[in-house]
Amino acid sequence: MACSTTYPMLFVLLIFPLHILAQTKFTIPLGSSLTANQETTPWLSHSGDFAFGFKQIQPQNQFLLCIYYAKIKDTTIIWYANDGYPVPRGSIVELNPQNGLILRDPQGKMIWSTSPIIASNVAYAVMNNTGNFVLVGSDSSVLWESFRYPTDTLLPTQILEIDDKLVSRKSEPTNFDYDSEYYIGHTSILRRSQLSYRLIFDELGLNILKRNNQRLLLTPPNVPSISENYHRLSLDFDGVLTHYYHPKSTTSTGNERWSTLWSLPDNICLAILGETGSGVCGYNNVCHLGENQRPYCVCPKGYSLTDPNNKYGNCKPKFIPSCDEFGKGNPEDLYDFDVVTDVDWPLSDFERIYPSAEEECRKACLEDCFCAVAIYRSNSCWKKKLPLSNGRVDTTLNVKAFLKIRKVST
Ligand SMILES: *[C@@H]1O[C@H](CO)[C@@H](O)[C@H](O)[C@H]1NC(C)=O
C-alpha cells in the first residue's frame, strides 16, 4: 500500500522539474540576459548544435556577440551582431519586449539592438535548430531572425534575397577589424545573384532561383549528407566564397575538421581588381594562388611586411625612389632592378610607353626618379608609382616586372 502511493508521487516530482527545464532551456523568456565573460553559458538550440552568446576574441577582454557551432572544437562563427565589432568584458545582452535584443556596454550605454525592425512586442526568443536565432511575437509570428540579416555565412535553409549580401571579415577570426569596402559583393556568384532572384542554400546545395522559377544548381553533385554533416557557405576573409562541411559526430581522435566542397572564384588573385583599395593582398604585396584556390601573399624582394603578423597586409619598400638623390650621380651607379616574371600590378601606372623594347623600358624607369616599378608586356612599358595595388601572379600575360632597388654602396 505504501509503495503504490509513493510511485505516482515520485513520478510527478521527476516530470515537473524536467518540464520546467525544457521550457527555460530552449525558449528564451523575456528578461533573459547574457554577460560577456568566460563563464557565460550561451543560449543553445534544442539539438545543442548552435549557440547564441559571447565568444572571447583577441585582444583579450573583447567579446563578440554571435552564433556559433556549439559542439565542434574548431570555433566557427556563423553570424555576429554589431557589424562584427567586439564589446568589452561585462557588456550585457538582454531580451526585452519592445526592442528584442539590446546589447549594452558595462556602463549601460546601448551599443546595438534589433529594435528598428520590430513591429510588435516580442514574446520570447529561440535559438532554432537550423542555426537561425528567432524573435517570436505573442501570435507566434517571426518578428526578427538572424537568417534575414546574414553576415559572412549562409546555412542550409537560409535564403539570400536580392540586394542582400555577404560581407567578408578583413582577417581571420581573431581580428574583426572592418574595412567597409572590402570585397563587398566581389565574388562573381554574388554579382550573378543580383541578376537573379534569390540565392537558396538547401539540401541540394546552393541554388540560384531565377525569376521564371527555374533553379540553377551551383553545387557539384554528391553533396555529403546534410543530416550527418554541418554545411555552411562562407565568404571568407580572403574573398573566396566557400562551401564547407564538417562531420557532426566526433570520433575518438577528434580530428574532424571543415572540408571544402567547392569554392568561387577559381582564381581570386585575378578575379579581384579594385580601382581603389589594395586588392586581395595589401599594398605592394603580391597575390599567389595556393591549395584549394586559397590566396596567399608574398612581399616582393626589397619589400617587407608592415605588420609582420599579417601576411595579407601591406609591404613597405626598403627603398623609396627620391628625386633629390637623383641628381647626385649616374642612375646606373645608384640603382639596379630585381626582375620577376609573371607578376603584375595592373593599376598604379603613371606613364605608358608604346612601342617599347625591354631594354628601353628598363632604362626609362631607371632614369625616371618617380618610377618604382616598370612592367613590360607585349611591346609596352608601364611606369608605376608607389604604393602598388592589386599585385598578382599572372601566368597568362607573359609579363615581366622590373623593381627598382638601390645598389649596395661599396
Ligand atoms: C526552425 O527549425 C525547424 C527545423 O528544426 C524548421 O523547420 C523551421 O522552419 C525553423 N524556423 C525558423 C523560423 O527558422
Side-chain angles (χ1 to χ4, degrees), residues 304-330:
S304 60
L305 288 172
T306 313
D307 170 5
N309 296 318
N310 183 9
K311 301 188 295 279
Y312 295 89
N314 301 326
C315 303
K316 57 181 184 220
K318 290 188 182 117
F319 150 74
I320 295 173
S322 143
C323 293
D324 289 337
E325 186 183 69
F326 219 74
K328 290 179 188 157
N330 184 349

Side-chain angles (χ1 to χ4, degrees), residues 182-183 238-239 268-270 272 278-282 287 295 297 312 390-391:
Y182 212 64
Y183 299 146
D238 56 19
I268 185 97
C269 296
L270 301 184
I272 287 184
S278 64
V280 177
C281 304
C287 180
C297 306
Y312 295 89
N390 298 280

Side-chain angles (χ1 to χ4, degrees), residues 1-60:
M1 194 62 199
C3 278
S4 65
T5 47
T6 0
Y7 254 117
M9 279 285 286
L10 257 178
F11 185 70
V12 168
L13 280 172
L14 277 173
I15 289 300
F16 190 60
L18 278 180
H19 177 69
I20 295 278
L21 205 69
Q23 279 266 316
T24 52
K25 198 161 177 194
F26 302 116
T27 66
I28 301 133
L30 294 176
S32 301
S33 68
L34 295 172
T35 304
N37 57 40
Q38 283 105 326
E39 298 77 44
T40 184
T41 311
W43 293 331
L44 288 174
S45 65
H46 196 303
S47 61
D49 290 324
F50 293 99
F52 180 99
F54 288 101
K55 266 270 169 206
Q56 190 175 19
I57 59 159
Q58 296 301 328
Q60 297 249 320

Side-chain angles (χ1 to χ4, degrees), residues 128-130 132 134 142 145:
N128 204 20
N129 282 344
T130 51
N132 190 12
V134 187
V142 171
E145 52 184 336

